[in-house]
């Protein structure tokens, strides 16, 4: 009988243990088998993208944030700096600061709420390059885990494409907001690059001498810097027109003229000689001084030095190393790519005038569209006369940006005309084309994307009009869209709520 009682007691203890196991809790307060609901937010400022993931905020529970900070320029992770997270209600709140990212771009501060309610969640970033402050409104702190689960439910899978921040940070990746902007009617044509005034300077010999190149492999197209020594003219050993002899003679004439000038000046101030005599001596002195300074300018070691007048490239070379040249002979021409004139021609039927031309876009060597007004460029002139041999009207624009294209080369041009309409637009680089149909990659949140078909309208340089498919304020991928597209075709499911 005693044995039976012991067995019954053991069975009772086992039942109690199973009952307790059935109500066991996870460390975060959820029941066994349950998962704490997780939240994520994506906020863009003009400098930063913040994608933050965190468990639902529960009174008494410590919540760890995975705050992904991306510098929008070049779309790179914030690698240095501190992040402070604050949970604010009225004039009270909690805050926690981490002084460095746990891994590049990812900061992991924690907050342990004390009271339930609705709060502001504030992230303050301080990096060596810049600072930013990002606020998320209406963040709820729940009184218990059960209340959070009841309010938020469980996460459901969707059909979006997962592309992690770590993946985006490793490739050329960029996004841009969908905006409302001015859209013009455009004329698609082509233009030719021409030199602008002052963009080419020809350097001539300022004395007789033998050419000595000072740059190895000096050829057309060689890049040069302002003040760089290109070549020298050496006249040492020449029987006539020797630079050293000319300088000595010029110095003698200068000193003699200076002495005469100073003597005559005293006499003129004392009113002993007439003004006409003094002016003649003063003129001779000025000429002798100018001649001497011209001969000695740029002279080193008895040789006349030829230096680059500005940063640019060698456009042409008129001499070879070792040639003997006389004063005034052209030696080398230096050009710059920082200023050019773009010439395009159109039929007069378009009725172009300076009043109805609203802008001109051109395509660079890399296929990017630029506006002539970049770098304070401008439309110079539009022809008014059509000749029989030349039935087109010429349009000239000054481009002051760096144009890495040879003179005489062609480029695609768009000329904006008339009055603009206000409509939705995105960068043309965001478009994906498949057999005449267009789509874009829309960033739904930090790591969630969607491929969406769009209907396009007019193209205005770097932008394209969107007639259907996008709303102002959405964000599209402009660089790296192909990689996200490939991820969408892989059939992989989004990985939400991952820990870092």
């Amino acid at each position: 009988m005693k044995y039976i009682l012991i067995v019954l007691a053991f069975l009772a203890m086992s039942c109690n243990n199973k009952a307790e196991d059935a109500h066991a809790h996870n460390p975060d307060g959820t029941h066994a088998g349950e998962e704490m609901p997780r939240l994520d937010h994506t906020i863009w400022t003009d400098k930063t993208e913040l994608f933050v993931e965190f468990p639902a905020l529960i009174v008494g529970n410590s919540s760890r944030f995975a705050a992904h900070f991306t510098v929008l320029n070049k779309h790179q992770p914030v690698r240095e700096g501190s992040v402070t997270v604050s949970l604010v209600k009225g004039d009270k709140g909690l805050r926690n600061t981490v002084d460095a990212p746990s891994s590049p771009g990812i900061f992991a501060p924690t907050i342990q709420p004390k009271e339930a309610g609705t709060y502001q969640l504030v992230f303050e970033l301080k990096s060596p390059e810049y600072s930013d402050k990002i606020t998320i409104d209406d963040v709820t702190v729940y009184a218990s885990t059960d209340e959070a689960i009841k309010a938020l439910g469980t996460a459901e899978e969707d059909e979006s494409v997962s592309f992690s921040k770590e993946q985006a940070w490793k490739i050329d990746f960029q996004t841009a907001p969908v905006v409302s902007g001015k859209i013009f009617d455009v004329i698609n044509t082509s233009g030719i690059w021409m030199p602008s005034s002052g963009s080419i300077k020809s350097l001539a010999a300022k004395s007789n001498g033998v050419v000595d190149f000072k740059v190895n492999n000096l050829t057309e197209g060689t890049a040069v810097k302002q003040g760089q020594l290109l070549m020298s003219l050496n006249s040492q050993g020449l029987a006539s027109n020797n630079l050293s002899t000319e300088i000595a003679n010029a110095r003698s004439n200068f000193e003699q003229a200076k002495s005469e000038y100073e003597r005559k000046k005293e006499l003129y101030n004392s009113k002993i000689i007439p003004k006409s005599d003094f002016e003649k001596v003063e003129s001779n002195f000025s000429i002798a001084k100018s001649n001497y300074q011209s001969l000695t300018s740029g002279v080193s070691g008895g040789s006349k030095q030829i230096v680059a007048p500005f940063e640019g490239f060698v456009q042409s070379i008129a001499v070879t190393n070792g040639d003997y040249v006389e004063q005034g002979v052209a030696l080398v021409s230096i050009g710059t790519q920082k200023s050019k004139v773009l010439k395009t021609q159109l039929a007069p039927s378009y009725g172009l005038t300076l009043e109805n031309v609203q802008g001109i876009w051109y395509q660079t060597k890399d296929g990017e569209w630029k506006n002539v007004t970049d770098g304070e460029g401008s439309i110079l002139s539009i022809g008014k006369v059509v000749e029989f041999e030349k039935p087109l009207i010429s349009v000239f624009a000054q481009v002051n940006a760096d144009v890495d294209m040879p003179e005489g080369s062609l480029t695609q041009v768009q000329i904006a005309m008339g009055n603009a309409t206000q409509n939705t637009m995105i960068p043309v680089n965001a478009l994906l084309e498949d057999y005449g149909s267009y789509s874009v990659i829309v960033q739904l949140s930090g790591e969630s994307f969607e491929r969406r078909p769009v209907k396009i309208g007019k193209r205005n340089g770097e932008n394209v009009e969107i007639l259907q498919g996008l709303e102002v304020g959405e964000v599209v991928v402009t660089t790296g869209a192909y990689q996200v597209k490939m991820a969408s075709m892989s059939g992989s499911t989004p990985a939400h709520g991952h820990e870092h």
Side-chain angles (χ1 to χ4, degrees):
M1 187 64 159
K2 185 176 180 181
Y3 173 77
I4 296 174
L5 289 174
I6 293 173
V7 172
L8 290 174
F10 177 78
L11 291 173
M13 291 174 60
S14 300
C15 291
N16 288 336
N17 288 338
K18 289 180 180 179
E20 290 177 3
D21 290 343
H23 293 86
H25 287 73
N26 294 322
D28 61 8
T30 59
H31 296 295
E34 292 180 323
E35 184 178 349
M36 175 68 75
R38 293 186 64 85
L39 304 172
D40 66 81
H41 293 270
T42 304
I43 308 292
W44 289 270
T45 70
D46 58 347
K47 296 180 287 188
T48 312
E49 176 198 305
L50 167 63
F51 168 59
V52 59
E53 297 177 299
F54 56 96
L57 302 180
I58 310 295
V59 172
N61 283 10
S62 181
S63 293
R64 177 175 177 269
F65 296 86
H68 305 64
F69 281 90
T70 302
V71 183
L72 288 183
N73 182 26
K74 304 299 183 183
H75 209 87
Q76 287 297 300
V78 175
R79 300 180 185 277
E80 295 181 77
S82 65
V83 166
T84 298
V85 60
S86 303
L87 191 64
V88 181
K89 185 177 184 179
D91 58 354
K92 297 181 179 180
L94 304 170
R95 70 170 45 189
N96 178 245
T97 300
V98 290
D99 295 325
S102 56
S103 60
I106 303 175
F107 294 79
T110 60
I111 284 287
Q112 187 173 6
K114 296 180 180 179
E115 295 181 4
T118 302
Y119 292 77
Q120 279 188 329
L121 193 59
V122 182
F123 292 86
E124 295 176 84
L125 168 69
K126 293 183 179 179
S127 73
E129 290 75 25
Y130 74 102
S131 298
D132 209 352
K133 183 177 180 180
I134 301 173
T135 300
I136 304 174
D137 294 320
D138 300 327
V139 175
T140 301
V141 173
Y142 297 95
S144 66
T145 301
D146 289 340
E147 182 181 322
I149 293 174
K150 183 178 179 181
L152 300 175
T154 57
E156 296 181 0
E157 298 291 350
D158 56 34
E159 296 182 357
S160 63
V161 180
S162 178
F163 198 77
S164 71
K165 302 309 298 180
E166 291 88 340
Q167 287 176 284
W169 290 335
K170 291 178 182 178
I171 64 173
D172 288 335
F173 195 86
Q174 195 66 54
T175 61
V178 181
V179 299
S180 177
K182 293 181 178 180
I183 299 292
F184 293 92
D185 289 324
V186 298
I187 303 169
N188 290 288
T189 181
S190 62
I192 186 170
W193 291 110
M194 302 170 57
S196 63
S197 177
S199 65
I200 298 176
K201 187 166 185 179
S202 181
L203 306 180
K206 295 183 178 180
S207 67
N208 301 336
V210 177
V211 176
D212 182 14
F213 285 8
K214 296 300 182 180
V215 176
N216 293 330
N217 301 319
L218 186 65
T219 58
E220 293 182 4
T222 299
V224 296
K225 296 182 178 179
Q226 184 176 5
Q228 182 179 353
L229 178 60
L230 305 178
M231 57 182 69
S232 65
L233 300 176
N234 190 346
S235 61
Q236 294 180 358
L238 297 179
S240 60
N241 298 321
N242 187 289
L243 180 59
S244 299
T245 302
E246 290 182 2
I247 291 176
N249 291 335
R251 181 177 181 180
S252 176
N253 292 336
F254 166 63
E255 290 177 347
Q256 184 178 355
K258 181 180 179 182
S259 177
E260 181 70 6
Y261 166 75
E262 292 173 348
R263 187 174 68 85
K264 292 286 186 178
K265 185 176 182 180
E266 291 182 3
L267 295 176
Y268 172 69
N269 291 336
S270 300
K271 299 183 179 180
I272 297 175
I273 63 172
K275 183 178 180 180
S276 59
D277 287 357
F278 172 70
E279 287 178 343
K280 183 178 180 180
V281 172
E282 185 180 36
S283 176
N284 291 337
F285 169 65
S286 296
I287 294 172
K289 180 180 179 181
S290 177
N291 185 42
Y292 175 63
Q293 289 178 340
S294 176
L295 284 173
T296 56
S297 175
V299 174
S300 177
S303 299
K304 195 76 170 180
Q305 296 185 325
I306 308 299
V307 299
F310 45 70
E311 183 178 353
F313 62 95
V314 176
Q315 187 177 58
S316 63
I317 303 175
V319 295
T320 58
N321 201 17
D323 283 352
Y324 170 79
V325 297
E326 296 183 351
Q327 184 176 354
V329 171
L331 301 174
V332 60
S333 293
I334 305 299
T336 177
Q337 295 175 339
K338 298 188 180 298
S339 179
K340 278 187 171 65
V341 169
L342 179 61
K343 175 186 177 182
T344 185
Q345 292 184 310
L346 298 170
S349 58
Y350 287 109
L352 285 181
T353 64
L354 284 174
E355 289 73 26
N356 66 13
V357 173
Q358 303 301 322
I360 296 179
W361 293 283
Y362 62 90
Q363 215 168 32
T364 66
K365 182 181 68 174
D366 298 326
E368 295 184 359
W369 286 99
K370 298 289 185 181
N371 198 316
V372 298
T373 56
D374 294 342
E376 300 183 353
S378 63
I379 301 172
L380 296 175
S381 64
I382 297 176
K384 294 180 171 58
V385 178
V386 178
E387 300 177 6
F388 180 76
E389 297 83 1
K390 300 177 181 179
L392 300 177
I393 291 179
S394 296
V395 181
F396 295 90
Q398 176 78 38
V399 178
N400 290 331
D402 195 350
V403 180
D404 188 13
M405 298 184 74
E407 291 166 15
S409 62
L410 295 173
T411 184
Q412 293 187 52
V413 173
Q414 291 181 354
I415 301 179
M417 293 185 60
N419 297 321
T421 58
Q422 195 81 10
N423 208 347
T424 305
M425 65 182 187
I426 61 172
V428 69
N429 291 340
L431 291 178
L432 296 171
E433 182 178 4
D434 291 306
Y435 303 103
S437 297
Y438 294 94
S439 62
V440 295
I441 301 297
V442 181
Q443 185 175 7
L444 303 176
S445 66
E447 298 183 333
S448 181
F449 297 81
E450 173 186 83
R451 187 180 179 189
R452 190 183 302 172
V454 293
K455 183 179 180 181
I456 68 171
K458 303 167 188 174
R459 299 191 187 216
N460 279 194
E462 67 272 26
N463 294 315
V464 59
E465 180 184 23
I466 299 298
L467 302 177
Q468 185 177 324
L470 292 173
E471 298 292 335
V472 173
E474 292 186 296
V475 175
V476 296
V477 179
T478 57
T479 303
Y482 179 77
Q483 285 85 341
V484 182
K485 174 186 173 182
M486 296 305 295
S488 71
M489 298 171 64
S490 68
S492 59
T493 56
H496 297 288
H498 55 278
E499 292 285 351
H500 296 273

